[in-house]
Amino acid sequence: MDVYLTRAARTHFRALASFSSCPDGFLIGHKRGQRYFVESVFSAPFRVAAAQAKYINLDQLLDEKILGFFTFLPNNTKRERLFCPLFMGKVLLEVQVSSGKDPDMKAYSIDYADRFFLSPLKIKKETMRQGNV
């Protein structure tokens, strides 16, 4: 499995890193086969995800296109908030920004086998030549 980041999503991450005071949010897109396609991002505090009723309402407003979550400030507490049945199979993208460069990212799938854990995912980035996949 892998996570495919469109140019638009990467641009949104650069903008959020520069101008947003909220370091967390949702990944918006769709899943096709073994690939998660991240088309956009939506900035929101992790506590929205922790309040499962709010998460469900937001997902319905976004036509059930929430693929998972991102954070610019990863830590164990944030990861553990996502360890619940509602978020199984969702993506967690941890983003680290260096000034003037594309952000470094690590992607995980939220999985369960006797306990919740994060499975690493590969990240693919849309380039000018690739277009839409």
Side-chain angles (χ1 to χ4, degrees):
M1 293 185 95
D2 62 37
V3 176
Y4 184 84
L5 295 171
T6 63
R7 285 184 309 234
R10 290 189 358 247
T11 299
H12 293 164
F13 279 123
R14 283 193 298 275
L16 285 173
S18 297
F19 298 104
S20 178
S21 61
C22 183
D24 308 314
F26 298 98
L27 304 172
I28 311 300
H30 67 280
K31 184 178 178 189
R32 188 181 323 151
Q34 296 294 309
R35 179 169 279 180
Y36 296 91
F37 288 86
V38 179
E39 300 161 354
S40 183
V41 297
F42 182 85
S43 182
F46 257 52
R47 66 182 173 271
V48 171
Q52 293 181 22
K54 286 184 181 181
Y55 168 85
I56 291 168
N57 288 337
L58 181 61
D59 195 32
Q60 289 172 344
L61 284 171
L62 296 171
D63 296 324
E64 298 181 353
K65 291 189 175 192
I66 295 178
L67 289 176
F69 312 90
F70 74 85
T71 183
F72 288 103
L73 300 172
N75 62 51
N76 285 335
T77 302
K78 286 182 182 180
R79 291 179 191 114
E80 290 169 2
R81 284 184 188 162
L82 301 176
F83 288 171
C84 69
L86 181 62
F87 303 139
M88 273 184 38
K90 298 292 185 186
V91 173
L92 172 60
L93 191 65
E94 297 181 338
V95 184
Q96 294 196 340
V97 179
S98 303
S99 61
K101 295 182 180 180
D102 257 358
D104 286 332
M105 300 179 187
K106 292 181 182 177
Y108 305 93
S109 174
I110 300 166
D111 291 320
Y112 182 84
D114 295 325
R115 65 177 180 78
F116 286 98
F117 62 96
L118 297 175
S119 296
L121 298 172
K122 293 182 181 181
I123 298 174
K124 307 276 185 185
K125 296 178 182 177
E126 180 180 34
T127 64
M128 294 295 276
R129 294 182 303 174
Q130 286 176 315
N132 291 332
V133 174

